[in-house]
Amino acid sequence: MTKAMVVHAFGGPEVLSWEERDIGQPGPGEILVEQAAAGVNFIDVYFRTGLYKPASMPFVLGKEGAGTVVALGEGVTSVAVGDRVAYSGANGSYAERLVIDADEVVKLPEAIASETAAAVMLKGMTAEYLLRRTFPVGPGTVMLFHAAAGGVGLIAGQWAKHLGATVIGTAGSAEKCALALEHGYDHMINYREEDFVARVLEITDGKKCDVVYDSVGKDTFPKSLDCLKRRGLWATFGQSSGKLPDIDLSILNQKGSLFATRPSLFGYVSNREEREESAGALFDVIASGAVKVRIDQTYPLADAAEAHRDLEARKTTGATILTV
C-alpha cells in the first residue's frame, strides 16, 4: 500500500484526494521506487482539469520525481536496489511509492541531490530539447523566452547564456524580472507594464529574434510571431494562459515565412537512449555550475492542492516540489 494523490473527477485543486492505494509488486521490467520528492508542473494542471486526458480514471497525478529503488521486477538489470533514480514523463509521481518501468528512470550521479532531480527532470529536460534540438542556440542567436521566471524559464535562461545566446525574457512583475536577470537573461520585459513586441524591437534595433519559446499560449498569440525575424521559429510548448485558438497557417506566410512547431518532451525522449542522453546533458550542465536550480516552493505531498492553487495563481517562481 502507498498514500497517493488521486483524481476521481476533473476539476479544480479540490478534486485532489489523498488516499491509500494498493500498487502491488513490480512486474517484469519494473521497479518499486520509494519517493523522496515529486515535481509540480503545469502539465499536472492540464491532466487534473481534463485538458489532457489520462488513460483511465481514477488516476494518480504527477509526471516527475526522484527516489530510491527498493525492489526489482524480473529481468531488471539496468538498476539495483539502493540506486537513486529520477524520471520524467511517467505517470503517478504524487505518491509515497511508485511502480515504474525500469526503462523510464535514469540513475542519479552523486553531484545531483534527489530533491534537485525531482525539481528539474521535466523542466530541465524540456529546456534541453528546446535549446539544443528544437532550435539549437549558440553565439549570435537572439531569442525570446516567455515566462522567464518559471521553472523552465530560469533553467533555459542560464543554459542559453552558457551556450552564447542573447537572451530576452518576459515576466509579469518587477520581482520576477529581477529574478530572471539573475539567471542568465540579458533583457527582461514586464508584460503587465510594457508591450513586449515594442520592447523586442527596441532591444534588437528592429532586427527581432531568431526564435521565440512560448509556453503561455492564448495571451501571447499572435504577438509572439511579431517578435520573429523572417524565417524565424515559433516554438509553442505550453498553454498556461489557455488553449490557443485554431490557427490559419497563412499567418506564418504573412508575418515573414515563419516556422512553427508544437513540441513536447515526450517527442524528444521516447526511448531509454534519448532519455539518458537528455538527462546526462542536464546533469552535466548543473554539475558544472553553469545552471543553478532554484527550489523556491516546497510543500508536503499531502498539500498538493495548495501547490496547485499557487501555481495557477502565478504566485510561484523557479521550481516547486512535493516532499514525502
Side-chain angles (χ1 to χ4, degrees):
M1 300 295 290
T2 187
K3 294 294 287 287
M5 196 59 72
V6 184
V7 177
H8 292 272
F10 300 129
E14 70 279 358
V15 304
L16 299 180
S17 176
W18 183 235
E19 57 191 63
E20 282 200 343
R21 284 173 65 88
D22 185 358
I23 58 172
Q25 293 298 311
E30 295 179 332
I31 59 175
L32 177 63
V33 176
E34 186 168 319
Q35 302 259 85
V40 178
N41 301 280
F42 244 101
I43 193 172
D44 305 338
V45 174
Y46 301 157
F47 274 101
R48 191 203 73 218
T49 61
L51 180 63
Y52 291 178
K53 295 297 189 286
S56 62
M57 294 283 278
F59 66 98
V60 179
L61 204 59
K63 302 292 282 187
E64 74 175 340
T68 302
V69 179
V70 293
L72 305 177
E74 181 184 349
V76 174
T77 59
S78 56
V79 295
V81 170
D83 284 347
R84 291 188 312 118
V85 296
Y87 58 89
S88 66
N91 297 313
S93 67
Y94 288 20
E96 293 175 336
R97 288 189 163 202
L98 174 73
V99 172
I100 186 172
D101 192 312
D103 283 343
E104 295 280 351
V105 306
V106 295
K107 292 183 184 179
L108 289 178
E110 290 186 9
I112 308 297
S114 296
E115 292 76 12
T116 299
V120 81
M121 286 296 289
L122 196 149
K123 290 174 280 290
M125 292 169 70
T126 296
E128 184 278 324
Y129 86 73
L130 289 171
L131 300 176
R132 297 177 74 240
R133 291 184 281 166
T134 300
F135 186 101
V137 305
T141 301
V142 179
M143 57 176 270
L144 175 65
F145 205 101
H146 289 300
V152 178
L154 292 183
I155 295 169
Q158 297 174 83
W159 204 335
K161 193 63 182 175
H162 175 65
L163 293 171
T166 297
V167 192
I168 307 169
T170 69
S173 70
E175 293 77 15
K176 288 187 175 184
C177 286
L179 178 62
L181 288 170
E182 295 171 2
H183 288 77
Y185 287 84
D186 297 293
H187 307 276
M188 281 301 301
I189 304 166
N190 184 339
Y191 64 80
R192 297 189 189 279
E193 297 180 353
E194 302 176 286
D195 182 328
F196 69 80
V197 176
R199 280 290 289 130
V200 164
L201 288 170
E202 181 182 351
I203 290 165
T204 63
D205 293 326
K207 297 177 182 177
K208 302 186 182 181
C209 300
D210 299 289
V211 57
V212 173
Y213 298 108
D214 189 345
S215 65
V216 176
K218 179 169 66 72
D219 288 355
T220 49
F221 179 82
K223 294 174 71 174
S224 286
L225 303 182
D226 294 323
C227 297
L228 285 166
K229 296 177 181 177
R230 184 166 52 96
R231 299 196 302 272
L233 174 69
W234 176 48
T236 171
F237 67 100
Q239 46 198 30
S240 63
S241 69
K243 188 176 180 180
L244 285 164
D246 291 337
I247 297 171
D248 180 351
L249 290 180
S250 66
I251 194 174
L252 301 177
N253 174 39
Q254 295 162 10
K255 292 184 179 291
S257 295
L258 302 179
F259 294 87
T261 182
R262 179 55 175 93
S264 72
L265 174 61
F266 315 119
Y268 283 81
V269 291
S270 61
N271 57 55
R272 181 177 169 186
E273 290 73 22
E274 291 176 342
R275 192 171 296 113
E276 289 181 342
E277 180 181 354
S278 182
L282 174 63
F283 296 155
D284 286 348
V285 80
I286 293 172
S288 74
V291 169
K292 295 177 174 60
V293 179
R294 289 179 59 109
I295 302 175
D296 287 343
Q297 297 81 213
T298 300
Y299 304 79
L301 183 55
D303 292 342
E306 186 64 24
H308 275 227
R309 291 187 187 98
D310 289 346
L311 180 67
E312 290 180 275
R314 301 192 183 186
K315 293 180 179 179
T316 64
T317 56
T320 300
I321 62 170
L322 307 172
T323 55
V324 177

